[in-house]
Amino acid sequence: MHNDIEYLRETIKISHASRAAGNHPFGALLIGPGGDILIRSGNTHATDKGVGHAEMNVAREASLRHAPEYLAKCTLVTSVEPCCMCSGGAYWAGIGTVVYGLTERRLAELTGDNPENLTMDMPCHKVFDAGQRKVEVRGPYPELEAEIVAAHEGFW
């Protein structure tokens, strides 16, 4: 079984591939209860503009494939902290745990006022804390910051 760092490194690979495909540099995975990678997604900005965040793509696909009772035992792993939209998507899909590498606040420092990523200062734990169901959150992982930031350098 992998650990959070290994899964996060997979999301970093996805973020580079997403960027190479003309999308924003973000990646996400859904990990099953046994540690298998069930779903992978990068950002899909080139086709859907602002709403195709990697995490939302994973949450949407997860909700189509699996029951909430199963998803409660799954983990969404993402290179960057999910925004409020993606946190809501993970919550409504029923995903039980979220792991992220870089904070949304740090992302805002990278993107500035770029109109393609007007970040909101809303940490994911605040979104989850507002819900009626518990979502475990692990992150950030400062030891991966340089690797995550590398996918964003020169992009914004």
Side-chain angles (χ1 to χ4, degrees):
M1 189 178 320
H2 296 278
N3 63 33
D4 288 352
I5 298 291
E6 291 173 286
Y7 289 126
L8 283 164
R9 285 205 166 106
E10 285 298 312
T11 69
I12 296 166
K13 290 177 189 174
I14 295 168
S15 68
H16 283 284
S18 182
R19 180 178 175 166
N23 293 296
H24 294 176
F26 300 96
L29 304 168
L30 182 70
I31 309 302
D36 296 335
I37 297 174
L38 304 175
I39 301 171
R40 300 170 187 263
S41 183
N43 179 282
T44 52
H45 186 270
T47 56
D48 58 31
K49 303 305 172 210
V51 296
H53 293 190
E55 305 91 339
M56 193 64 155
N57 293 340
V58 168
R60 186 180 304 108
E61 186 66 26
S63 70
L64 293 172
R65 290 191 197 179
H66 304 287
E69 297 79 20
Y70 179 77
L71 291 174
K73 299 178 243 171
C74 292
T75 302
L76 173 69
V77 181
T78 177
S79 54
V80 177
E81 180 177 14
C83 70
C84 57
M85 175 183 74
C86 295
S87 297
Y91 177 84
W92 286 108
I95 297 168
T97 302
V98 171
V99 172
Y100 67 90
L102 189 75
T103 66
E104 177 87 351
R105 185 165 282 168
R106 179 68 176 103
L107 176 65
E109 293 172 6
L110 300 173
T111 63
D113 63 355
N114 188 300
E116 290 187 8
N117 197 20
L118 296 172
T119 60
M120 300 176 85
D121 190 12
M122 177 63 68
C124 68
H125 67 84
K126 286 190 175 186
V127 175
F128 296 133
D129 287 348
Q132 296 179 33
R133 180 178 64 74
K134 171 130 175 64
V135 176
E136 179 185 350
V137 177
R138 296 193 300 269
Y141 284 82
E143 61 270 36
L144 295 177
E145 181 170 338
E147 293 175 52
I148 296 166
V149 168
H152 294 265
E153 288 176 342
F155 185 84
W156 305 103

